[in-house]
Amino acid sequence: MMNYIKSELYRMFHSRMIYVTALGFAGAPLLLNGLLYATFRTMPDNAYSYTSFSYSFLISLPMFFCVAAFIVVLSLYEGDKKTGNMKNVVASGISRVKIFAGQIVVSLVACYSILIATLAVYILSARLLLVDAGPATWMDLVKEALVMSPIAISALILAVVVTMVFEKTFVAVMVWSGILYFIPTVFFYVGIRYPVIWKISEWMPDNFLSYIEVNTSVCNPMWDTPEGLTKCMVAGAVGIVVFGLAGLCLVRKRKYKNKGLYENIDLLSVWRDWDGISAVAGGSTCAGGCGGAVLDAETLFATHSRPTVGN
């Protein structure tokens, strides 16, 4: 699995899409602070030119960390099924479970690399361009990123699951959004009538993370309380376990469409058996020896090909 992770890291750092994604994430806060700076130049005495107002955008949207994780996973693996990369990896003999675990590791590396770069641009540009004042500080941003890590990791694992399981990107997006947003909303409204459902809905991130009071005069995120911090940690841990186990079960059953007769072939097995044929043939160049070798090669490919079915 380590070789697969190394190859995926190499592919990631040599992919244009991941740099475009990182540029988009880092450019957004820079643009925001630039606009606030322009406002400050025209209206110096307004509270919108404070660093606190800039920080409050991200502090008030904690679920954006989950969305960001999903975007990064899509930028890394959305095109794998179209290019045939996934089928080639499976055909090389790497198990789907190892592929699943490897994609999670690589996605985590990508996400945290982009997160560190984005927070650095966010905080430095705010402190350089805006007035350092207000209730929200840069430490609140860092604390939010740390507290949201378990929930964001669970969302990342779910993103890897849906991108591996579903052929269509649209379906993957809808399933991911439905699990993290639609289902909690349904539980919230049904729970208004049924207390048992309400108690369950209170532990769903999209529901309890809405209780955040942040504006130009106050910054009271729910994770500043012991109860709120506990909910973030527990919900994230449960999500990691549930989505991880679900992913292990689903990716083992996942089959990829076969476009050719020998599309999915265990190349390692073919190579080992081909060495045996070469040894028997003894490198013969006669017509009979060559014909026998060709016939055996065809038999080998038919034997080691992995017939697969669609979704």
Side-chain angles (χ1 to χ4, degrees), residues 47-64:
Y48 302 115
S49 58
Y50 294 165
T51 55
S52 177
F53 181 77
S54 174
Y55 300 150
S56 66
F57 273 91
L58 187 56
I59 295 174
S60 63
L61 297 171
M63 286 296 288
F64 180 73

Side-chain angles (χ1 to χ4, degrees), residues 65-78 81 100 103-104 107 111 151-166 168-169 171-173 175-177 179-180 239 243-244 247 251:
F65 286 89
C66 299
V67 176
F70 188 36
I71 293 174
V72 172
V73 172
L74 284 181
S75 69
L76 288 173
Y77 297 112
E78 185 271 335
K81 291 185 283 292
F100 175 58
Q103 288 190 1
I104 291 174
S107 299
C111 282
I151 296 175
I153 292 173
S154 68
L156 179 146
I157 294 174
L158 177 61
V160 174
V161 173
V162 297
T163 53
M164 287 189 68
V165 170
F166 297 104
K168 303 290 186 180
T169 302
V171 177
V173 172
V175 172
W176 185 89
S177 304
I179 294 174
L180 288 188
F243 297 146
V251 298

Side-chain angles (χ1 to χ4, degrees), residues 66 148 167 301:
C66 299
M148 283 298 300
E167 193 77 22
F301 276 83

Side-chain angles (χ1 to χ4, degrees), residues 1 4 8 77 80 86 89-105 160 164 251 256:
M1 188 175 76
Y4 172 68
E8 286 299 291
Y77 297 112
D80 272 12
M86 179 62 69
V89 173
V90 173
S92 68
I94 302 176
S95 69
R96 289 172 174 82
V97 173
K98 290 182 179 180
I99 296 173
F100 175 58
Q103 288 190 1
I104 291 174
V105 172
V160 174
M164 287 189 68
V251 298
Y256 297 96

Side-chain angles (χ1 to χ4, degrees), residues 47-303:
Y48 302 115
S49 58
Y50 294 165
T51 55
S52 177
F53 181 77
S54 174
Y55 300 150
S56 66
F57 273 91
L58 187 56
I59 295 174
S60 63
L61 297 171
M63 286 296 288
F64 180 73
F65 286 89
C66 299
V67 176
F70 188 36
I71 293 174
V72 172
V73 172
L74 284 181
S75 69
L76 288 173
Y77 297 112
E78 185 271 335
D80 272 12
K81 291 185 283 292
K82 296 179 181 178
T83 60
N85 182 64
M86 179 62 69
K87 286 177 288 190
N88 293 334
V89 173
V90 173
S92 68
I94 302 176
S95 69
R96 289 172 174 82
V97 173
K98 290 182 179 180
I99 296 173
F100 175 58
Q103 288 190 1
I104 291 174
V105 172
V106 173
S107 299
L108 284 173
V109 172
C111 282
Y112 276 102
S113 299
I114 293 174
L115 174 63
I116 292 171
T118 301
L119 287 181
V121 172
Y122 201 147
I123 295 169
L124 289 175
S125 62
R127 293 178 66 86
L128 288 173
L129 298 176
L130 306 176
V131 179
D132 190 11
T137 67
W138 66 272
M139 283 298 296
D140 291 310
L141 276 183
V142 175
K143 186 187 298 184
E144 179 187 31
L146 294 175
V147 170
M148 283 298 300
S149 284
I151 296 175
I153 292 173
S154 68
L156 179 146
I157 294 174
L158 177 61
V160 174
V161 173
V162 297
T163 53
M164 287 189 68
V165 170
F166 297 104
E167 193 77 22
K168 303 290 186 180
T169 302
F170 176 77
V171 177
V173 172
M174 294 303 295
V175 172
W176 185 89
S177 304
I179 294 174
L180 288 188
Y181 290 97
F182 180 73
I183 292 178
T185 301
V186 171
F187 270 69
F188 177 82
Y189 285 108
V190 174
I192 295 175
R193 184 167 182 178
Y194 301 99
V196 176
I197 303 298
W198 176 261
K199 290 181 179 180
I200 297 175
S201 71
E202 286 185 321
W203 287 89
M204 295 180 173
D206 190 46
N207 290 334
F208 67 73
L209 286 172
S210 61
Y211 300 110
I212 296 177
E213 186 182 9
V214 55
N215 50 51
T216 56
S217 58
V218 65
C219 179
N220 291 323
M222 54 83 62
W223 51 80
D224 276 351
T225 65
E227 180 185 359
L229 181 60
T230 301
K231 282 188 175 182
C232 291
M233 297 295 107
V234 173
V238 171
I240 291 172
V241 173
V242 171
F243 297 146
L245 292 177
L248 290 176
C249 295
L250 292 173
V251 298
R252 282 173 177 167
K253 300 177 182 179
R254 180 68 169 92
K255 302 295 183 180
Y256 297 96
K257 289 184 178 180
N258 199 9
K259 295 182 180 179
L261 180 59
Y262 306 127
E263 180 91 22
N264 293 335
I265 297 173
D266 190 339
L267 299 180
L268 296 178
S269 299
V270 172
W271 184 258
R272 286 194 297 267
D273 289 354
W274 179 256
D275 285 343
I277 289 177
S278 300
V280 173
S284 173
T285 57
C286 66
C290 294
V294 171
L295 178 61
D296 287 339
E298 292 178 354
T299 304
L300 275 174
F301 276 83
T303 301

